[in-house]
């Protein structure tokens, strides 16, 4: 149980860092403070776990028709939903949500690449 909680917290911190980094790069994406960033990361995880699968299923024909590119719009919508619900997180519009969601996905994937299934940071050393 402790390892699962550690894994959850590490992934939450990775998402929060990815959201902060995206807010530095993307104009129109901002947070009112550290707690707003924390709650936005937590809420984004919840939205991605509960709402996103249903939206992906409902928009599956459009996603197939666009060869998966419509998933970028779905991800932007999930980020927009978080911004709409949370007062301390602002998005200027669709393009801010789209670019922000792309960067968050990239940064989170890179960060999570270093995290094992148990939530521990894994370092691989190659010796030739």
């Amino acid at each position: 149980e402790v390892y699962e909680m550690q894994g959850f917290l590490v992934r939450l911190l990775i998402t929060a860092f990815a959201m902060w980094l995206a807010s530095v790069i993307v104009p129109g994406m901002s947070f009112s403070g550290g707690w707003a960033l924390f709650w936005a990361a937590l809420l984004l995880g919840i939205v991605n776990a509960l709402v996103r699968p249903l939206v992906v299923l409902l928009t599956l024909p459009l996603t197939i028709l666009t060869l998966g590119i419509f998933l970028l719009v779905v991800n932007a919508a999930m980020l927009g939903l978080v911004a709409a619900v949370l007062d301390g997180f602002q998005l200027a519009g669709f393009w801010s949500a789209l670019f922000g969601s792309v960067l968050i996905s990239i940064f989170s994937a890179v960060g999570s690449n270093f995290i094992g299934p148990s939530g521990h940071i894994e370092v691989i050393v190659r010796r030739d």
Side-chain angles (χ1 to χ4, degrees), residues 31-57:
F31 298 94
S32 63
W35 283 111
L37 177 61
F38 170 80
W39 287 112
L42 183 63
L43 190 57
L44 184 63
I46 293 168
V47 165
N48 281 337
L50 300 177
V51 178
R52 187 177 181 275
L54 180 62
V55 173
V56 167
L57 185 63

Side-chain angles (χ1 to χ4, degrees), residues 74-96:
V74 171
N75 290 341
M78 297 304 105
L79 191 62
L81 178 62
V82 171
V85 172
L86 193 63
D87 285 335
F89 176 33
Q90 295 83 30
L91 283 171
F94 172 75
W95 294 109
S96 295

Side-chain angles (χ1 to χ4, degrees), residues 14-69:
I14 288 172
T15 302
F17 179 74
M19 292 181 83
W20 171 79
L21 201 52
S23 73
V24 170
I25 297 170
V26 176
M29 181 176 172
S30 63
F31 298 94
S32 63
W35 283 111
L37 177 61
F38 170 80
W39 287 112
L42 183 63
L43 190 57
L44 184 63
I46 293 168
V47 165
N48 281 337
L50 300 177
V51 178
R52 187 177 181 275
L54 180 62
V55 173
V56 167
L57 185 63
L58 292 174
T59 60
L60 191 57
L62 190 53
T63 301
I64 292 170
L65 189 63
T66 61
L67 302 175
I69 294 179

